[in-house]
Each structure stands twice: as C-alpha cells, then as structure tokens.
Amino acid sequence: MNLGELTEEFTKLGLPAYRARQVFKWLHKLNVNSFSLMSDLPAILRKNLEENYNITSLSIEKKLKSEYDSTIKYLFRLNDGEFIESVLMEYLHGYSICISTQVGCRMGCTFCATGLGGLSRNLSPAEMLAQVQTAAEDTGHRISNIVLMGMGEPLDNFDNVLRFLELVSCEEGLNIGMRHISLSTCGLVDKIEELIPKSPQFTLSVSLHAPNDALRLQTMPINRKWNVDTLLKTCRRYAKSTGRRISFEYAMIKGFNDSDQCAHELGRKLKGMLCHVNLIPVNTVKNSGYNKSTAERQRQFCSVLKGYGITATIRRTLGSDINASCGQLRGSLN
Ligand code: SAH
Ligand code: SF4
C-alpha cells in the first residue's frame, strides 16, 4: 500500500490519518518487520494490526561476499519457499543494489541462467522493496541506487514494478530518487510505448545484444515478436519524448556478435540517438557454449562505435568469484 491507501484503510477502521503515517514510517524508514515493535502505537492497535495484516519479509538463505571487491550476493527465501537473488555493489558514489522482479523469467534468452528454468511467478511490490530493505538492514549501508537487472523481466510484471518504484521513491519512504534507478528490459515494445507518456525519470536499459534480426533471433526469442528495427524505432521515440538517454546493453559473445562488422552495423543503427552502449563481457553459463570476447576485441568494438559518435563503455565486472550474475546462484541450488 502507498501512504494514501494505508490512510484510507485506517480511516475505514476509524483511525486518524496520523496513525497511518506512523505505521508507514515504521515500515519504510525504520525498517521494522513486526507491528509489535511499533512502540508509539497503542497496545490494542498493535494487537489488532498483528492479527489482521501481514508485513512482507524475506529471509537470507545464503550470502556470498566477493574476495576481490566488496560485492555481496544474496539468495533470499520468499514466504512460499521460492528463491530470488539480489546483489549489493559498492561504487565511488555509494551502494547500489541489483534486485529481482520475478521468480524466474519466461523470455528464454539462451545466454541467461534465469531464463533456463522459465517463470514461476511475479514478485509483489513489497517483495521488491524487501530486497532493498533486507540488504540495507543486514549490512548497515545506506543504499542510494537501484537497478532492476536481477532475475526476471521487469516490464513483464509492469504494474507491480511501477508500484514498487512509487513506494521506493516516495518522500515518506526510502526516498531514492528516480534518477538513481535503472530498469532493464529485453525489449517489450508495447510496454516501452506505455511508458512514454508517463515520461519516467529512471534510466531505461535495453538489452540489445545483437545488431540485426539474424543474430538476435538466435539468442533472444522476444525478437520474434518485436524485431530490431521495431524496437529501435520505439527507443528513438522514447529518448526523444522523455529527453532521457537510453542505455543499450550488449553482452559480447566470442565469435558471435563481436566482429567489427557487427560494431559498424550497430553504429549505423544507433547513430544520432540519445543513447549509450554498455558492453558486457558475457558471463559463461553452464552448458551454454558461449565464451567471453577478448579484452582486445571489446576495446576494438568500443572504438568502432565511438567513430559513429556513440558513447560506449566496457562494463567493469564485479563479484566474478561469487556467481554474481543474474540467476547463477539460484541455478546452482539444483
Ligand atoms: N530481463 C531484463 C533484466 C534482467 S537481465 C533484461 O533482460 O534486460 C539483466 C541483464 O543481464 C540483461 O542485459 C541481460 O541480457 C544480461 N544477462 C543475462 N545473462 C547474461 C550473461 N550470461 N552474461 C552477461 N549478461 C547477461
Ligand atoms: Fe529474462 Fe532478462 Fe534473462 Fe532474458 S536476459 S531470460 S529477459 S532475465
């Protein structure tokens, strides 16, 4: 519930609006998981809430700390026994958390550990929020950035994700500004279109991973529904209309999508768009047969793109010793 809905709920119970604000503060700012600990509420109200309402929480099933950097990977257990992953990373500007939006994913990208097992279910807004809160509570760190790049396709859980973004960015809550949030999608064009009139202030990342249909179809089944040209056309409209730069994700797979020819094709297609390209050395997933491009290939690809006036960077790899990329830890349970 957002504060307005909680206030409405409390009004129905005959309670004043300030009680809703108190409870909201306990839940969102003070990170309390039990009504019994909300010490400024009358005992009878605490008992009533305890009996009739449920606070969503997660338990830490496994926690891995990188020995190379301060990255922490969590395997969280949900109330129904499902598992999801989140990764906490330290950057110069503070702590950033990568959260999951679904248990599994139904998009079936062939290089992705999450996609291997299909979709179990959507996460609720509270389960997304609880990932941020549990990691903050566990480490004592203030988390300033969020990326929706963990397990799942955020735009396939559209309403819950938008509700989560509202809760996490509201002033009475964690108050993490939209400009400190990134959302990554494999390219659900209908949902990107739906976002345009809302003019979101978060950063939209689009997982492109190939410059043309022939290659993209081999790794990303979503390309059958919306091809590269359709996706890029919508991205151009999005960038133009929102004034926000789109970040294209491009996982470099040795001998597959990392040639100079691919870089030129990508450069020609993205030229003039308000965008950035993030080159990611692909993480090898068991039995996928995909290998990372060499560092030299990455640099060369990057410089071809720059020739088209496109800003491109090679993503720094964090937590490589702890299976920190999406779906890898949950996959290792099986
Ligand atoms: N479903 C969304 C967000 C979650 S995946 C999406 O696909 O964008 C987050 C990012 O990790 C995506 O860019 C995805 O393509 C990438 N990814 C998945 N598996 C990967 C792997 N094995 N190596 C490198 N990147 C990977
Ligand atoms: Fe789903 Fe994203 Fe993995 Fe594709 S890369 S299967 S969309 S989580």
Side-chain angles (χ1 to χ4, degrees):
M1 286 183 204
N2 61 27
L3 183 56
E5 288 159 346
L6 195 64
T7 308
E8 214 173 285
E9 187 77 15
F10 273 36
T11 309
K12 278 192 227 149
L13 299 175
L15 294 164
Y18 75 90
R19 290 286 182 218
R21 280 198 301 277
Q22 282 176 310
V23 170
F24 200 85
K25 185 173 171 191
W26 281 112
L27 292 174
H28 292 264
K29 290 243 194 259
L30 304 171
N31 222 350
V32 152
N33 270 334
S34 163
F35 292 110
S36 62
L37 298 172
M38 301 182 178
S39 53
D40 55 2
L41 304 183
I44 182 126
L45 176 56
R46 277 185 257 166
K47 191 160 168 282
N48 180 356
L49 293 172
E50 200 81 57
E51 284 168 3
N52 295 298
Y53 295 88
N54 176 39
I55 302 174
T56 300
S57 61
L58 304 172
S59 54
I60 301 173
E61 178 76 13
K62 218 173 183 180
K63 179 177 163 185
L64 298 179
K65 245 181 149 152
S66 172
E67 283 176 19
Y68 306 155
D69 48 64
S70 51
T71 304
I72 300 176
K73 175 137 193 177
Y74 290 99
L75 183 69
F76 289 125
R77 188 176 204 279
L78 306 175
N79 285 337
D80 62 356
E82 294 277 12
F83 295 99
I84 51 162
E85 303 176 4
S86 312
V87 184
L88 186 68
M89 295 157 287
E90 186 179 7
Y91 289 99
L92 282 177
H93 57 258
Y95 286 89
S96 178
I97 189 164
C98 175
I99 65 156
S100 295
T101 54
Q102 296 182 310
V103 184
C105 180
R106 64 189 177 119
M107 299 299 151
C109 304
T110 55
F111 45 76
C112 172
T114 303
L116 292 176
L119 175 71
S120 293
R121 68 170 175 88
N122 282 330
L123 293 184
S124 67
E127 286 169 329
M128 293 179 227
L129 194 62
Q131 295 171 61
V132 185
Q133 291 180 313
T134 311
E137 182 80 13
D138 179 56
T139 56
H141 297 318
R142 204 190 96 73
I143 295 173
S144 53
N145 289 64
I146 300 178
V147 293
L148 280 68
M149 273 195 197
M151 293 165 57
E153 168 49 50
L155 298 187
D156 191 35
N157 185 13
F158 196 72
D159 294 343
N160 285 350
V161 162
L162 291 190
R163 168 56 63 105
F164 159 71
L165 293 176
E166 179 196 338
L167 288 174
V168 83
S169 62
C170 77
E171 230 173 273
E172 306 83 4
L174 287 179
N175 199 10
I176 298 177
M178 286 288 186
R179 285 173 182 255
H180 295 265
I181 298 176
S182 297
L183 182 155
S184 178
T185 176
C186 65
L188 303 191
V189 166
D190 57 344
K191 297 297 174 191
I192 300 175
E193 291 283 351
E194 216 175 314
L195 284 175
I196 293 175
K198 299 183 194 294
S199 209
Q201 292 302 297
F202 57 70
T203 300
L204 182 68
S205 293
V206 174
S207 302
L208 195 58
H209 303 321
N212 58 50
D213 293 332
L215 287 180
R216 199 164 187 262
L217 277 170
Q218 291 178 45
T219 52
M220 300 186 72
I222 192 68
N223 202 79
R224 274 185 249 147
K225 191 157 186 187
W226 291 291
N227 65 18
V228 171
D229 282 352
T230 310
L231 174 60
L232 293 184
K233 211 186 249 171
T234 295
C235 289
R236 269 184 200 276
R237 282 200 341 102
Y238 182 97
K240 211 167 170 193
S241 167
T242 61
R244 306 278 300 154
R245 189 172 79 155
I246 291 195
S247 174
F248 287 103
E249 310 292 305
Y250 196 101
M252 294 190 66
I253 303 173
K254 193 177 188 173
F256 173 70
N257 62 358
D258 64 349
S259 65
D260 277 358
Q261 201 189 341
C262 285
H264 282 291
E265 193 175 358
L266 187 63
R268 282 193 299 273
K269 292 190 180 176
L270 299 185
K271 200 172 180 295
M273 194 189 314
L274 185 59
C275 72
H276 175 92
V277 176
N278 225 331
L279 298 170
I280 312 156
V282 76
N283 271 297
T284 310
V285 170
K286 230 180 11 193
N287 302 330
S288 71
Y290 300 127
N291 295 307
K292 280 184 182 40
S293 305
T294 61
E296 180 48 32
R297 209 40 342 258
Q298 294 167 27
R299 278 193 294 273
Q300 174 61 20
F301 198 97
C302 198
S303 80
V304 170
L305 289 177
K306 285 179 178 159
Y308 288 85
I310 296 163
T311 62
T313 45
I314 300 166
R315 186 186 286 169
R316 195 160 62 102
T317 311
L318 292 177
S320 55
D321 56 332
I322 53 167
N323 278 343
S325 90
C326 136
Q328 289 188 324
L329 188 56
R330 176 171 168 264
S332 70
L333 282 177
N334 303 321

